[in-house]
Amino acid sequence: KVSNQTMGFAFAEDLGLYSSSFDGIFGLDFGGKTETGVDGLLRSKLLPKNTFAFYMPLDVREPGEISFGELNPARFRGDFQWAPLRPESYNRWTVNLLGVQLCADGSCESVTKCSAHTPCAALIDSGTTLLVAPDQEMASIQQRLPVDQGCRSLPAEKLRFVLGDPEEPVVVDLAPDQYIEKDLLSPGVCALSWMPMGSSGNHTPLFILGDTMMRHFYTVFDADNWRIGMARYVSLLCGGGSFVLRPCYVVYRVVVDVGWCTRVSVPRLSRTASWPASRRLLHSPVAMVLHYSRAALQHVL
């Protein structure tokens, strides 16, 4: 067990938190001024490897998964691409963003000022639903990538992120059906899975690559080697790869956040719901795997 772990308790909530669908905060950052759960695990040396990995299924019928200490080989295929962390970043799980590009017919066009010579920063964050960009960069993306809001057609370009070390870059591609979302509240309406976040001022421009990207990759956060790895995910229900406007995708709000506030979004269940039946926490000497069952997810929809 982890001993002498720092915990935080809130005695009051604002309306936004009170009405939200998560019940607690579980910090997965490390090395900051406030000790998180990851700091406790690192200090206690309980895991064979100081890693945790996310599997976020596209289909609500399939449980999501975060595993501590080891990877689940059933959840990914192929080799990992690894991006080193930016050591000076406020949030540890931040890597260099060497470019954001639109690619079609074998050629790519940059849509931001990020480059190998002047990299931006990219926070890989499970607690952010969409992709987030500074205002100026967001305006450039919207101008270069108009979306048919009536969902009648999709752009031809795939969206490419180039991350990490310029010598061995991590290249992440999203197909149009992966970076354009259907509005579940307004049938027949589509929009970019992007949102602006204000200006970075004089600081390095910061992007946040959230669930829009992580849903399509098995993502590993490696505190031993200060790096983040990605491999193609494997879904038992939907398979891997691209889908046309997400036939398997249903929005859910079970989130473990590795960002600044690092909140774990656990479904808020009714008083009559059986919590053990809705969430299963499995313990083993080599890893801890947190599973979210379909019953838990149904309470969030």
Side-chain angles (χ1 to χ4, degrees):
K1 68 179 181 178
V2 177
S3 59
N4 300 317
Q5 175 66 48
T6 300
M7 302 289 289
F9 297 91
F11 296 96
E13 296 181 10
D14 64 21
L15 182 61
L17 287 173
Y18 183 79
S19 60
S20 66
S21 60
F22 59 86
D23 292 322
I25 297 173
F26 183 61
L28 291 176
D29 198 6
F30 73 102
K33 295 181 179 179
T34 302
E35 185 180 64
T36 67
V38 172
D39 287 312
L41 289 173
L42 295 175
R43 171 172 46 80
S44 302
K45 303 184 186 309
L46 293 177
L47 302 175
K49 295 180 180 179
N50 292 311
T51 64
F52 56 91
F54 279 89
Y55 170 74
M56 296 183 176
L58 294 173
D59 193 322
V60 73
R61 296 170 297 172
E62 187 177 2
E65 178 182 297
I66 175 173
S67 58
F68 291 88
E70 68 175 11
L71 309 183
N72 184 348
R75 295 303 193 188
F76 65 91
R77 65 186 180 201
D79 297 327
F80 280 92
Q81 298 186 79
W82 296 98
L85 303 183
R86 290 171 57 96
E88 75 279 9
S89 293
Y90 173 74
N91 184 282
R92 295 299 184 196
W93 302 119
T94 303
V95 300
N96 279 333
L97 178 60
L98 309 177
V100 181
Q101 303 169 348
L102 290 178
C103 300
D105 300 325
S107 63
C108 295
E109 175 191 10
S110 178
V111 292
T112 69
K113 296 180 180 179
C114 309
S115 69
H117 297 293
T118 56
C120 300
L123 173 63
I124 313 300
D125 184 18
S126 58
T128 299
T129 304
L130 304 175
L131 305 168
V132 182
D135 286 348
Q136 186 175 0
E137 305 290 356
M138 183 69 207
S140 174
I141 293 169
Q142 289 176 320
Q143 182 179 4
R144 306 279 188 92
L145 198 59
V147 175
D148 178 4
Q149 296 184 351
C151 302
R152 291 177 294 271
S153 63
L154 291 174
E157 301 91 344
K158 62 185 176 183
L159 187 63
R160 171 166 293 178
F161 298 93
V162 185
L163 307 168
D165 185 348
E167 299 295 327
E168 297 183 48
V170 173
V171 177
V172 176
D173 288 339
L174 294 179
D177 61 289
Q178 296 171 335
Y179 64 78
I180 292 177
E181 298 280 0
K182 275 185 171 180
D183 190 332
L184 298 183
L185 300 180
S186 302
V189 176
C190 286
L192 279 176
S193 298
W194 284 87
M195 63 178 293
M197 119 176 125
S199 172
S200 299
N202 295 325
H203 301 285
T204 300
L206 175 66
F207 290 68
I208 303 178
L209 308 184
D211 300 347
T212 294
M213 186 186 72
M214 289 183 62
R215 280 195 296 262
H216 302 284
F217 298 90
Y218 188 77
T219 308
V220 179
F221 296 81
D222 185 348
D224 281 334
N225 299 292
W226 280 59
R227 61 182 185 173
I228 295 175
M230 296 181 185
R232 283 290 178 182
Y233 80 98
V234 172
S235 170
L236 300 179
L237 294 178
C238 297
S242 301
F243 303 97
V244 178
L245 288 180
R246 302 197 202 285
C248 285
Y249 173 55
V250 180
V251 171
Y252 61 91
R253 294 183 180 273
V254 175
V255 179
V256 182
D257 186 352
V258 301
W260 291 290
C261 291
T262 56
R263 58 186 175 275
V264 106
S265 297
V266 177
R268 179 163 302 197
L269 305 180
S270 65
R271 294 180 181 273
T272 59
S274 174
W275 177 255
S278 300
R279 187 181 68 168
R280 305 190 300 277
L281 181 61
L282 307 181
H283 300 273
S284 75
V286 295
M288 293 179 291
V289 182
L290 185 62
H291 293 269
Y292 294 96
S293 70
R294 180 175 62 176
L297 297 177
Q298 287 173 338
H299 284 276
V300 187
L301 297 177

